[in-house]
């Protein structure tokens, strides 16, 4: 697998994860337990932050110049 293909696969996976994460937030409201809701929202936020780190790293990788010429 080439780098570009790997980047595309990871980006698509990140997109799918983000879409699934968006389904969690509305459902949390219906749990009826504030402590559990708070813990889930905190964890979901942490997951979202880490997902953004992955996406940012891929953007940086795509922006690098792989040439050895100066």
């Amino acid at each position: 697998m080439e780098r570009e293909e790997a980047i595309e696969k990871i980006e698509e996976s990140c997109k799918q994860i983000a879409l699934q994460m968006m389904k969690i937030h509305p459902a949390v409201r219906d749990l009826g337990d504030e402590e559990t809701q708070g813990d889930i929202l905190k964890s979901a936020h942490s997951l979202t932050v880490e997902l953004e780190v992955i996406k940012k790293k891929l953007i940086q990788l795509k922006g690098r110049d792989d040439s050895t010429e100066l």
Side-chain angles (χ1 to χ4, degrees), residues 43-61:
S43 296
H45 175 49
S46 295
L47 287 169
T48 302
V49 168
E50 295 302 323
L51 191 60
E52 290 302 316
V53 170
I54 293 170
K55 291 164 51 177
K56 181 179 177 182
K57 290 293 184 178
L58 292 176
I59 290 168
Q60 290 172 344
L61 183 61

Side-chain angles (χ1 to χ4, degrees), residues 30-70:
D30 297 327
L31 293 176
D33 183 283
E34 286 190 33
E35 183 179 350
T36 301
Q37 288 170 274
D39 289 344
I40 291 172
L41 290 174
K42 181 179 176 183
S43 296
H45 175 49
S46 295
L47 287 169
T48 302
V49 168
E50 295 302 323
L51 191 60
E52 290 302 316
V53 170
I54 293 170
K55 291 164 51 177
K56 181 179 177 182
K57 290 293 184 178
L58 292 176
I59 290 168
Q60 290 172 344
L61 183 61
K62 288 194 299 189
R64 287 187 194 158
D65 182 9
D66 289 333
S67 71
T68 56
E69 294 180 32
L70 295 176

